[in-house]
């Protein structure tokens, strides 16, 4: 029985029940679920609920939870064995392919696992967290994993920044009051709860910023502002491209929001926060080996489709470019799988990905999709960006000629899909997320440099150069 | 005296005098000059007029014309010496940097020179063309160089296509009647005349498509439809990015348009058309070594600006990425210069660029700018695409906090500029034009393979491998 | 007890017992084990024996065999579970790091597994093969997996080729007689037996070439010729670089060699051969995700060492280049791991790698190591290739000054190690093997194009473009 | 009349007249001209003499000299007009193609021009230099341009280094005494004179290192040691690849060598040395746009040849790879041409290349040829590195079979040519010189970062982002 697993429709209903304070383009939105700039992102989240009830996908989309003693939506579940890491990746690829965009629940999933292990062995924090998580699983909630603070001048530490870093401004017996902002908040306006976590490793003296806690998205003092996306005016119109599904990033403002003690998981424990941030980064950087290959499957399919419409699908350079697109796509996927397969179990019982390979994965995600998009633009042809509006193609007088000029209305739709992923609203949850999600490129290089065992490599090179005796193969 | 050189204001006035039939988003536009989706592209063209009257740039922006016996705007002039090819490139770089976009007059310039040499030695066609060109120079007209036909199924030849390929449907004693469409028409709605040219090499039996002629943009039967650009709804609003300047591509429909004999330069001469197409491709592929480095200067500057605002300008990886962006930008420019410096004079007296190097130039333009844009997105940070609208930043209640969160209003503007070039309306005349302008990537590879002297290379390899005697250095 | 696992010394002794007919530089070699151009490659194989007796590596270097009921050297073992594929990769990485070169037993290992599954369900061939394999495991033999025929003109099929393709020239009641040659034979002269397999998929009518069988390396009629390697004259001298370990490729000539029936596993079964070739390619293309990262560890270590000697190790560009080298190295490894982790079990009980990811792995191996070598050459500095000989550095009169000029004798040795991998004898089993081992780059692209499900991608793109109803998420 | 221009034979005779002290592999060489490891490099220099007497090339290979009033070998001439820079590049390409290697006279040529302008306006130094140069031109001498000092620990300045940096150890009334070493000395053993120059910019307090002077290669106290090259044992044998032509790098030791005052051009003038070093770097970095494309022509030809021999020349992936090789080769050439075409005249009357583009040129030379070599290795197939020795192919018993296996003796020779350029002796003057000649990659990035006008780019970006008024196009 899947009592703990919502359907897509139950999810939509549950969103309407919230009293969310959301601004879009300078105006307060009363019904986010029905707003054309918001709805596509909700649809993408809804897919994560739908798949849990789809018999072809349920083995991936749900997972057994020891906490509640039954299967739950995988996006609320712990990684209890190595294969959970691999199944997560397969689920992400399926969803990425089905929606062609970001389905927004991975930050919550990765945050839940990172908090589970970071609170482990740290007193009653862990028990509070587990209790809270049980509720999330039972209600099958969508979480907004809130990490990134607005950094302003990067040369300054959090306490030197202005008021916008999220931090504790008051500690009461019954809870804490937090203030500040989180930016780049994926799917925030589509969530039930916000899981606040620190956005970076912190130092002694920065304890006020070492806060991890949970609160409803419509808690008193919370305001969200929708990020503007390229071509977002086309949402709900015929030029939208991927009309049904989209991504979402919000600014979330915390104007002295009270969080009751039960939902405060870390407060001032700088060390635990470091482990949290590091574990989250590992999970989330490997994640891109799942979702983005799924998105890229769609882009490849769209580019393939246009070449068929253009009658050039069998040209050797077209075949080679499509093969290259697939090659690079599978590269990302394979590295994500590799990072998962080399995972290790944490003392808390949760499995973690391989840190080096997770960073290798994400680092490629900051460049390979760009090359794949470039190839898609090559195959699409210039019409992708010079085509008149669909309104012109449907014009009573001009339409017939223009549809002929455009190579047909189907071709126009295929081009709009590519355009939306390369330049439109779809590019934010796709390309820009590839670049900056889970850390910008340099963040991965820093981790790689730190984690590689340089001395071991030098030591073996010295042996083979004849400078040192061989401790391993002296008998050969 | 520069009587033959219009000012920017004279250019704008002259546009208003036209009775252009232009559709935008399904509706007829009565005053294109004032339309927010059209005006930025007109401004960019206007810059080509303004520079001719700017003493710092006049030596580049004007050129002496033997035809009219005085200096004319360089965009109407013939390449009379090798240095004209180099000065054209310098002018393009200056304009590309000043406008940050496509200024739309190069197709006309390259078309004029290609037609000059293709008509040379072909009877009175050349005289007709020269007479017409003299008028263009005297009136300093902006030309829409119209080449690309809608190709539909690429496996079909023009006569097998539907009605949309431009061709002669009737030949009268006083002229010809043409029918069809041209797509990807850069700056078409901002021009005075259309210079129709064939879009590809033609074969015997395809003479009806071998038509080169000129006609006013508002000739009876001409209709233009503006191409839709990403984020074009932002035009004229605060989120526009590069608010003042933009590019433009139109579909141009020819509904049985009459062209008088005096303005018909080629009709049915398949061989001359082949020379025309080849010469045009050479000029225009080298052109990208001028304008795009100028555009990229702006992108580099914007990325640099954001890193200064973020306080990371001196970080080694930031410096390295900016240097790489400049390195790649100068690469494109250098190859364009190289293609020009190795130019040769045509029998007509006009100089032509080196075919191989021109194709090498354009081919790099189909990839290097993509990498530069990728680096810009890296340096810009995710806020480029998750920032709320400027309306939010100006909101009376939320604005102050959001501006703080956004790192300041200036930073928001810098990000919008990068966004507009990477994802917005600015990306069409920039990135997509890099890919498909003057031929898609494969077009350049085809020319390169055809032009390289493979046998000469093999011959020398055979000598050095000891397989053949040495015809060059036998005495060494 | 490891009775079935030879030590390194037992391996060397067993080699001396052979009556191998081996030519080197035009001369017959009487004692290959002691020949300076042969010995380094033997040492590398010996490492595979030594590790099986090293307690730190035995869990990787040995594996339980159901066939003989005890642990055997992993290089003779079947892949009985998914983790065997992963352990193989870890073993390869360890050996690649320890030897810095190719240890030559993987072709045999992959061939054994491929033959096991290709003979499965094909009558008594499988039983004959299993019996033979049991003996190989019990004697812990090194196998020369012989696949590649000399292709000459690639546009011809095997029967159109001259005599050099290996094929059956006579079938007797007690066995077959084979004739022809195999080229690129890794470690052939260091093996006990040759496992002959077809080098490509065959067609009906080419049954004589569909031969898989085993024979001793010193069978009557077998002649081997050592391939010449760059700088192989330095072998055994002070300029050798990696003095102890090396790789080996031979031409193996079969001059009407008789193979008894018991050792003939496939003869004329074109279908089984296709499965064999395909399975082998999969295994071997994933293999490179193990050994080459190990080799690259050494190269990275050597480059790191030189930068320390040069006092520039902390320069930001040096750190970045070393990090990039490691990033690319781990990329290859991760994809190999991914290909293994997505493996599936064959009906015979043997596990197979994921075909797409295995080809993605090998395809990157044809380029990424080249970039890593390039970076190593960058960091090494020009002295790597302009340094006088070590004889000069040891010269009684000049030596002291030259050692000073060279930055010390240790630096000279480090540079020679890099040189040997980039340009010397070490480059054949390293760089060239990366390019052509298990198939040249195009071979992988062909498989990728064939294996990718293009139609599925197109189908989903059509749905998201709004052209088809959604069969998966219609309720969302 | 070309009295000032030696023939190839006169050059060889003049070399024999020297009393050079040269060590090779630890032994003093009595007749360098006839030593198999030295002669190929002499042959390559001889080509520069031969071309001056070849009517097809004399317009490139000679140049008028105002100093002596007649044509001289271009390698001794000043750049008196912009086209001299372009003709130099064309000459280099021709020689690079004819020899397939480094012809070793460019350092001298670039050094002569750099010293001409660096001494200009600095008292009688310039007159001394001009007098000396006149003699060089009249005798048509080959110069060893000696710049690079052995750097040891790069974190130390020259005075902190041990004795091996070249510097003045004694100043007498009649001249100076210098001590130290120069490394990477291209063609040193094939020269008539050494032109000593400082290897880097120097600071006040380092005046003793600021020495530029000339001396005969066989001056008292000069010793040369030949650098060891990969596969150099093959020189003079059938496996050599490019048997006739090669490059050369030496260590040159100065053991208290006296240089008379007339041949001392700079001594202690740190500022002049900075100009010298900078000017030389510019010239020499652009130089690679000439010679290396010529070398690459040979490599492309050899790869093409092998694909013809293999019967795959028309396969689409083969054609695409060859086209890519040519595309990248022409890229390098075009940038070199661009750097020359944007040259400017120095106050001394000598023309200088564009600094930014020269560095862009050389920077690409540190990577593009590596990719071209990689493609050549791809097309060559594995046989390039697994082929038995030619002695085996010529073996009376095995030869016939092995030649068949090898695809013919001609194919073996073609493969050896590719091997020699990729891995053999030919790789030093080709690939490694591409990397480190005229400065390692980082040296170019440092110059690029320094020379780019970042503020100008930021300023324009600010204008287009609407942050500042427009100083250029305010009227538009």
């Amino acid at each position: 029985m899947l009592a703990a697993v919502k359907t897509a429709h139950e999810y939509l209903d549950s969103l309407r029940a919230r009293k969310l304070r959301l601004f879009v383009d300078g105006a307060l939105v009363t019904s986010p679920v029905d707003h054309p700039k918001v709805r596509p992102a909700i649809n993408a989240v809804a897919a994560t609920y739908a798949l849990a009830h789809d018999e072809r996908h349920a083995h991936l989309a749900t997972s057994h939870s020891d906490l509640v003693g039954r299967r739950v939506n995988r996006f609320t579940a712990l990684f209890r064995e190595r294969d959970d890491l691999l199944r997560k990746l397969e689920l992400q690829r399926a969803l990425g392919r089905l929606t062609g965009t970001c389905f927004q629940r991975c930050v919550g999933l990765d945050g839940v696992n990172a908090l589970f292990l970071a609170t482990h062995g740290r007193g009653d924090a862990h028990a509070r967290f587990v209790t809270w998580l049980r509720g999330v699983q039972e209600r099958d909630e969508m979480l907004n994993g809130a990490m990134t603070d607005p950094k302003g001048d990067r040369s300054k530490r959090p306490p030197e920044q202005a008021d916008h870093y999220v931090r504790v401004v008051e500690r009461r017996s019954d809870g804490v009051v937090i203030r500040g902002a989180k930016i780049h908040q994926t799917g925030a306006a589509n969530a039930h709860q916000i899981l606040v976590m620190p956005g970076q490793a912190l130092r002694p003296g920065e304890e006020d910023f070492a806060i991890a806690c949970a609160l409803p998205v419509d808690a008193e003092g919370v305001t969200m502002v929708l990020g503007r996306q390229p071509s977002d005016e086309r949402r709900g119109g015929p030029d939208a491209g991927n009309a049904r599904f989209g991504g979402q990033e919000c600014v979330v403002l915390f104007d002295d929001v009270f969080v009751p003690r039960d939902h405060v998981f870390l407060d001032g424990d700088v060390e635990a926060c470091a482990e949290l941030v590091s574990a989250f980064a590992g999970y989330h950087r490997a994640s891109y080996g799942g979702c983005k290959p799924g998105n890229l499957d769609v882009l490849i399919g769209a580019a393939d489709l246009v070449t068929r419409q253009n009658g050039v699908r069998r040209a050797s350079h077209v075949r080679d470019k499509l093969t290259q697109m697939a090659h690079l796509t599978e590269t990302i996927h394979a590295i994500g799988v590799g990072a998962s397969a080399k995972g290790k179990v944490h003392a808390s019982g949760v499995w973690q990905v391989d840190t080096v390979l997770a960073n290798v994965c994400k680092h490629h995600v900051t460049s390979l999709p760009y090359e794949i998009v470039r190839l898609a633009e090559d195959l699409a042809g210039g019409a992708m960006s010079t085509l008149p509006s669909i309104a012109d193609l449907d014009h009573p007088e001009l339409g017939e000629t223009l549809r002929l000029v455009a190579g047909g209305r189907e071709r126009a739709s295929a081009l709009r899909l590519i355009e939306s992923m390369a330049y439109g609203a779809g590019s934010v949850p796709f390309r820009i997320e590839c670049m900056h999600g889970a850390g910008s490129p340099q963040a991965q290089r820093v981790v790689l440099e730190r984690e590689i065992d340089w001395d071991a490599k030098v030591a073996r090179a010295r042996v083979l150069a004849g400078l040192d005796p061989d401790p391993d193969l002296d008998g050969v």
Side-chain angles (χ1 to χ4, degrees), chain A:
Chain A
M1 198 201 64
L2 293 172
V5 183
K6 275 195 175 71
T7 65
H9 287 289
E10 288 165 355
Y11 164 62
L12 262 68
D13 289 345
S14 69
L15 290 189
R16 292 187 197 278
R18 305 167 310 163
K19 292 176 181 166
L20 188 66
R21 190 163 184 259
L22 172 69
F23 283 81
V24 176
D25 294 336
L28 194 62
V29 166
T30 49
S31 177
V33 177
D34 304 305
H35 193 288
K37 288 194 177 181
V38 179
R39 183 55 183 266
I42 291 176
N43 288 344
V45 180
T48 70
Y49 288 92
L51 245 55
H53 293 272
D54 177 314
E55 61 182 19
R56 292 161 298 179
H57 293 99
H59 66 292
L60 292 176
T62 64
S63 175
H64 180 81
S65 168
D66 298 337
L67 303 187
V68 298
R70 55 187 161 182
R71 289 193 84 78
V72 296
N73 191 302
R74 184 173 296 277
F75 284 104
T76 67
L78 296 172
F79 306 126
R80 284 301 193 176
E81 55 184 31
R82 187 193 311 257
D83 277 359
D84 278 341
L85 297 172
L86 292 164
R87 286 185 207 109
K88 170 196 171 190
L89 231 62
E90 297 299 328
L91 172 60
Q92 291 175 306
R93 181 144 191 185
L95 279 162
R97 187 175 56 80
L98 288 173
T99 62
T101 189
C102 171
F103 33 91
Q104 311 153 46
R105 282 185 90 179
C106 303
V107 183
L109 169 62
D110 294 337
V112 157
N113 278 275
L115 255 174
F116 186 88
L117 68 82
T119 54
H120 175 77
R122 289 195 161 93
D124 54 0
H126 193 62
R128 278 198 306 277
F129 176 73
V130 167
T131 300
W132 172 81
L133 177 58
R134 194 174 289 128
V136 169
Q137 290 184 340
E138 282 171 346
R139 291 182 302 272
D140 195 1
E141 289 183 333
M142 153 80 174
L143 300 175
N144 160 218
M147 297 204 90
T148 311
D149 300 276
K151 291 203 183 63
D153 184 340
R154 270 79 172 154
S155 63
K156 294 182 180 169
R157 295 293 308 171
E160 301 166 334
Q161 298 275 357
D163 257 13
H164 42 62
Y165 256 68
V166 169
R167 70 209 176 286
V168 177
V169 291
E170 189 186 349
R171 287 186 178 79
R172 302 187 202 157
S173 57
D174 57 346
V176 301
V177 177
I178 62 173
R179 187 188 298 164
K182 293 285 188 181
I183 58 172
H184 313 324
Q185 289 310 298
T186 302
N190 312 330
H192 302 97
Q193 287 200 63
I194 304 171
L195 181 59
V196 172
M197 295 174 283
Q200 62 182 91
L202 298 163
R203 301 175 185 167
E206 301 175 345
E207 284 79 6
D208 287 347
F209 300 86
I211 177 73
C213 61
L215 61 157
V217 292
D218 53 3
E220 180 75 27
V222 170
T223 302
M224 295 189 178
V225 189
L226 190 72
R228 180 138 208 205
Q229 296 181 335
S231 297
D232 53 5
E233 298 289 344
R234 301 192 191 179
R235 283 290 185 207
D239 286 315
N242 184 347
R244 214 152 36 116
F245 300 110
Q248 177 188 91
E249 322 280 338
C250 295
V251 170
V252 181
L253 303 175
F254 300 89
D255 188 5
D256 290 1
V257 181
F258 173 73
V259 184
R261 178 62 51 197
D262 279 0
H263 291 168
V264 176
F265 311 127
L266 292 173
D267 179 11
D269 186 337
V270 170
E271 209 173 282
C273 284
E275 189 171 7
L276 166 63
V277 168
S278 167
F280 175 84
Y283 287 132
H284 209 53
R285 288 173 189 174
S287 265
Y288 287 80
C291 58
K292 294 314 166 201
N295 295 167
L296 290 164
D297 285 337
V298 174
L299 187 66
I300 294 169
D304 185 336
L305 175 57
V306 172
T307 65
R308 296 180 191 204
Q309 293 165 333
N310 287 354
V312 297
R313 180 61 178 86
R314 302 306 302 161
S316 63
H317 77 97
V318 170
R319 292 167 55 196
D320 197 62
K321 283 166 187 167
L322 284 167
T323 300
Q324 179 69 2
M325 291 168 81
H327 170 56
L328 298 180
T329 297
E330 299 301 335
T331 298
I332 298 170
H333 185 58
I335 304 173
V337 171
S340 305
K342 291 193 81 157
K344 293 204 178 67
V345 67
H346 182 265
S348 64
V350 156
W351 281 75
Q352 288 189 274
V353 297
D354 182 88
T355 302
V356 165
L357 297 197
N359 279 277
V360 168
C361 178
K362 175 65 210 325
H363 202 53
H364 280 297
V365 170
T366 66
S367 62
L368 300 187
Y370 281 74
E371 173 62 7
I372 300 169
V373 169
R374 191 186 74 82
L375 290 166
E377 294 183 24
D378 178 352
L379 295 176
M384 181 184 101
S385 290
T386 66
L387 206 64
S389 71
I390 300 292
D392 293 305
L393 268 66
D394 288 344
H395 191 272
E397 186 190 346
L398 297 172
E400 190 180 341
T401 300
L402 285 177
R403 287 194 297 274
L404 197 64
V405 163
R409 182 68 192 271
E410 285 216 349
R411 181 165 170 268
S413 293
L415 291 173
R416 282 285 179 254
L417 175 58
I418 299 177
E419 187 197 18
S420 71
M421 295 184 79
Y423 294 98
S427 68
V428 178
F430 171 47
R431 211 170 63 169
I432 275 289
E433 207 176 81
C434 284
M435 180 61 82
H436 295 291
S440 302
Q442 187 62 11
Q444 290 112 50
R445 293 186 89 81
V446 167
V447 175
L448 285 175
E449 187 181 17
R450 194 180 60 214
E451 295 286 327
I452 300 290
D453 188 348
W454 303 105
D455 288 344
K457 292 185 205 294
V458 168
R460 191 65 204 167
R462 288 185 59 86
V463 168
L464 293 177
L467 302 177
D468 292 329
D470 191 336
D472 289 287
L473 291 175
D474 57 351
V476 178

